Amino acid sequence: EEEFVMVLNRLVPEKSLEISNRIRSKVEISKLIYSEQILKVTISIGLAHHRAGDTVDALLARSIEAMKEAKLNGKNLVKEIS
C-alpha cells in the first residue's frame, strides 16, 4: 500500500473531482502483470480544496482524512472534503 500527493493547481473544485475520478477509473481498468498473474489495482483518493489562510499542513491533513474515509467506505473511491 503506497500513498502519494498530487497537487492540481488553479482548478475549480468540480474539475479537480472530475480529474480525480478519471484517474481512479483508469487505475481500476489497468492490468498489472506480476509473475504471470494479472493483479487488480485500485486507488482511494482524498480530495481537499485550498481554503483562504490554509497552511500546507492543514490542507494535507484534510486530504489524508478524506483518503482514510475513502478507504473505510469500500476503497476505489474519491472522497472530497472541504
Side-chain angles (χ1 to χ4, degrees):
E1 188 171 303
E2 298 295 328
E3 296 179 6
F4 67 94
V5 173
M6 182 171 63
V7 177
L8 302 174
N9 196 22
R10 299 176 191 218
L11 294 176
V12 295
E14 297 80 17
K15 192 67 175 176
S16 299
L17 183 59
E18 177 189 324
I19 290 169
S20 296
N21 272 307
R22 240 186 305 158
I23 291 168
R24 185 203 53 76
S25 180
K26 294 285 186 183
V27 169
E28 181 181 31
I29 64 172
S30 66
K31 293 181 180 176
L32 178 63
I33 300 172
Y34 179 76
S35 294
E36 299 180 21
Q37 293 183 18
I38 297 175
L39 304 177
K40 181 177 179 176
V41 179
T42 60
I43 185 172
S44 298
I45 297 175
L47 181 59
H49 305 287
H50 183 266
R51 298 178 192 160
D54 253 351
T55 64
V56 171
D57 288 340
L59 183 60
L60 284 174
R62 285 198 317 279
S63 65
I64 290 168
E65 179 185 339
M67 181 190 58
K68 287 178 180 178
E69 285 185 36
K71 287 180 177 182
L72 288 173
N73 288 310
K75 299 185 179 181
N76 198 31
L77 299 171
V78 175
K79 174 64 179 166
E80 184 176 26
I81 196 168
S82 54

